[in-house]
Amino acid sequence: WARAEGDEDPTTLPADDFATFTALDRYISLAGIILWAATENKTKNSSLGAGEALLKLDTPDPVVERLSEAFKSILTPKRGPSKVAPQIWQISLNRKALPAVDRSVPSVKGDAARTLFNVNCSKIIWAVFDSGIDGSHPVFNDNDGQSRIVKSFDFSNIREIVSLDNDNPKTDEFKERLKNLLKAQLKNPITAKQATENLQELAEDAASDRPIEIKPTTEPKGGHGTHVAGIIGANSGKQANRRKVKTSFADGMCPDINFYDFRVLAKTLEDTEFAIIAALQYLRYLNDRHTYLTIHGANLSLSIPHDVRNFACGRTPICNECERLVESGVVVVAAAGNFGYQSFETKDGSYEGYTAFSITDPGNADGVVTVGATHRYKPHTYGVSFFSSRGPTGDGRLKPDLVAPGERIESCLPKGEWGELDGTSMAAPHVSGAAAMLMARYDELIGEPRRIKRILCESATDLGRERSFQGHGMLDVLRAFQSI
């Protein structure tokens, strides 16, 4: 708990500011609240929670007061002739760093295939539909220091602000959009006049079928998309800001691949689905402008629950749009979803268990490669991850198609950072990388997404698990190459 400059409420701290805290800052903040709450409750025989109790006190700040008491003896130099320096400079968890991509890529034999078959993906372009890629991260540079993020498009607000009636600033709808736009620009404030001009320009873009293009270095709204892109194509040779650990971060599946960044995660599920559909349509438009594929594949590490009351399974608008993209020659890889283990309420109380028929959209689409998750380097021992969604689909088709590493996968994050994430979202980019490698090595596979899917599925390694859990098995890139 701290007071941000200009913040009238001393008990709140903006989330963006808290995100900049170091591990030590976070530890001290949490330890202080727990320490104070325990002392306060014991002294006053109170059962209030820390946050609730903290709101009831005035200055002096109770957290600072309790922390200074607790740490005074070990942080303050002793007086007199034998005085010594403070005894504690930093508190951190003493553990060995485990860069999981260093294990997950070899687990699917991506490094072996890349070396043995001399794969160069510099002419392959992959679209990432996600929260956005931080193009300023050094791992997305090529060996000459140039960014491999070809273009970035922001579709996250398309339903709200890209409207043909924005050319009339007198309508109530326009005023509401203006208000929301000004609210969303807290970090980089703009005037009402500038916002009005921006909305009208967006309306003209919509009328002329022009997209919302942004600079690749624009900071994304979250770290998920950067993490996903790093699994596909991080280049560890440019890791200037790598945190200091004894082990170095390994390359992604295709360290020389190029990216299109489609930012589609919006405030609501409805807005997100609308944004994804618009972005998928625009990708097809980009490819249709030429006699060759501008973008060869798309990764959708996201999941939307199937709208069972309005659409048949695999026939929702987002699934249909993915099918059209596959028919146009683009490989589409989707996460199976993270609903494999759920909590249920019954008349006898709460019950937890594994769930069948839990594949989400767009993973329900027949033509996409739907990917479940497994352990990052011991898939035969631990099998399919507990959270990985199970098949079959609601209408009885076999899904997922295969599995790939998705537990504690370390990859890049915005602002030059690194971190671990779990989920089928981390498994899908391993398969995207494998598909890109196949097209880079064998030109005849470009524009043949169904053939690529068949190769990857038929060459997968059987983990000895149920088909509805593992699909065809664990991704095996080397075997896929050798099968051609």
Side-chain angles (χ1 to χ4, degrees):
W1 295 72
R3 183 170 188 163
E5 185 177 355
D7 189 354
E8 295 181 358
D9 185 353
T11 64
T12 61
L13 181 68
D16 289 340
D17 289 350
F18 186 75
T20 64
F21 276 26
T22 64
L24 179 59
D25 293 332
R26 292 172 184 268
Y27 170 80
I28 291 178
S29 299
L30 181 59
I33 292 173
I34 296 173
L35 173 65
W36 171 82
T39 305
E40 192 69 21
N41 288 345
K42 183 177 180 180
T43 302
K44 298 184 177 181
N45 193 25
S46 169
S47 61
L48 295 174
E52 186 180 359
L54 188 61
L55 291 173
K56 293 182 176 295
L57 288 184
D58 300 320
T59 57
D61 190 301
V63 174
V64 174
E65 188 178 30
R66 299 303 184 198
L67 274 177
S68 64
E69 290 176 5
F71 293 121
K72 186 180 294 183
S73 62
I74 54 177
L75 290 176
T76 307
K78 294 181 178 179
R79 305 297 178 185
S82 62
K83 67 179 181 179
V84 295
Q87 300 300 301
I88 293 183
W89 293 96
Q90 182 170 340
I91 299 172
S92 60
L93 181 62
N94 184 21
R95 63 188 178 90
K96 183 180 179 181
L98 293 174
V101 170
D102 190 32
R103 299 207 176 182
S104 66
V105 173
S107 290
V108 298
K109 303 178 186 174
D111 56 338
R114 187 168 64 234
T115 302
L116 188 61
F117 287 86
N118 193 27
V119 180
N120 185 328
C121 293
S122 60
K123 294 183 179 179
I124 301 297
I125 298 178
W126 216 260
V128 175
F129 290 73
D130 217 292
S131 61
I133 305 173
D134 182 4
S136 65
H137 202 297
V139 296
F140 296 118
N141 292 342
D142 60 21
N143 291 329
D144 295 325
Q146 300 298 313
S147 176
R148 290 182 286 123
I149 313 295
V150 180
K151 287 187 178 181
S152 293
F153 301 98
D154 189 350
F155 284 84
S156 61
N157 293 319
I158 192 168
R159 191 181 186 192
E160 181 179 353
I161 63 177
V162 180
S163 173
L164 294 180
D165 64 4
N166 279 341
D167 56 356
N168 183 1
K170 295 181 181 180
T171 64
D172 291 338
E173 292 82 1
F174 182 93
K175 292 175 183 177
E176 183 63 25
R177 292 190 190 99
L178 179 62
K179 178 182 175 182
N180 292 335
L181 181 60
L182 290 172
K183 251 187 218 180
Q185 301 296 322
L186 293 178
K187 279 191 175 181
N188 301 297
I190 60 175
T191 65
K193 180 181 178 182
Q194 290 174 317
T196 299
E197 292 174 353
N198 288 347
L199 284 172
Q200 290 178 319
E201 183 179 347
L202 289 169
E204 294 175 6
D205 288 344
S208 306
D209 292 326
R210 293 194 299 265
I212 310 170
E213 186 173 352
I214 59 175
K215 294 180 180 179
T217 53
T218 302
E219 185 178 338
K221 294 180 180 178
H224 192 271
T226 303
H227 196 277
V228 166
I231 296 172
I232 298 175
N235 185 339
S236 63
K238 295 293 179 180
Q239 48 176 319
N241 295 323
R242 175 74 172 119
R243 57 187 170 88
K244 295 179 180 179
V245 295
K246 292 182 180 180
T247 55
S248 62
F249 181 76
D251 287 338
M253 294 288 291
C254 312
D256 46 7
I257 199 171
N258 297 289
F259 293 99
Y260 263 67
D261 174 16
F262 290 93
R263 305 185 179 193
V264 296
L265 298 189
K267 294 181 295 183
T268 67
L269 187 65
E270 292 77 11
D271 287 341
T272 295
E273 185 169 13
F274 189 92
I276 296 169
I277 292 171
L280 289 167
Q281 291 172 344
Y282 186 69
L283 193 160
R284 279 197 295 122
Y285 164 74
L286 289 174
N287 280 342
D288 288 344
R289 292 191 305 175
H290 306 286
T291 56
Y292 56 88
L293 289 179
T294 301
I295 301 174
H296 301 86
N299 188 93
L300 289 89
S301 285
L302 40 85
S303 63
I304 297 176
H306 168 223
D307 185 0
V308 68
R309 290 176 176 82
N310 293 302
F311 301 98
C313 187
R315 297 299 175 185
T316 59
I318 192 171
C319 287
N320 285 340
E321 203 56 54
C322 285
E323 294 286 5
R324 294 186 187 102
L325 196 57
V326 171
E327 291 300 325
S328 72
V330 177
V331 175
V332 180
V333 179
N338 300 324
F339 296 93
Y341 192 84
Q342 293 292 306
S343 177
F344 304 94
E345 289 295 331
T346 70
K347 63 179 182 179
D348 297 320
S350 179
Y351 163 77
E352 292 187 353
Y354 294 95
T355 54
F357 305 96
S358 53
I359 304 293
T360 55
D361 289 345
N364 279 312
D366 187 63
V368 309
V369 186
T370 306
V371 187
T374 187
H375 191 269
R376 63 190 182 280
Y377 63 92
K378 290 185 177 180
H380 288 278
T381 301
Y382 298 110
V384 179
S385 303
F386 76 94
F387 54 78
S388 185
S389 287
R390 271 69 169 163
T393 63
D395 61 338
R397 287 174 291 111
L398 295 177
K399 286 281 185 176
D401 294 304
L402 67 168
V403 293
E407 296 182 21
R408 293 182 60 192
I409 306 299
E410 186 181 33
S411 183
C412 47
L413 293 170
K415 299 181 179 180
E417 294 297 323
W418 304 78
E420 293 179 350
L421 291 177
D422 299 279
T424 56
S425 287
M426 284 57 255
H430 286 88
V431 176
S432 285
M437 291 171 67
L438 286 172
M439 283 187 280
R441 182 66 177 82
Y442 302 104
D443 289 345
E444 66 270 22
L445 293 180
I446 293 177
E448 297 290 337
R450 296 189 185 278
R451 185 180 172 193
I452 290 173
K453 177 181 177 179
R454 185 172 65 253
I455 291 171
L456 292 175
C457 289
E458 291 178 354
S459 61
T461 300
D462 183 5
L463 299 179
R465 267 64 178 188
E466 286 289 335
R467 171 67 175 84
S468 59
F469 281 50
Q470 70 163 16
H472 288 84
M474 171 83 163
L475 172 69
D476 190 322
V477 186
L478 185 59
R479 186 179 294 167
F481 272 76
Q482 292 171 333
S483 70
I484 300 175

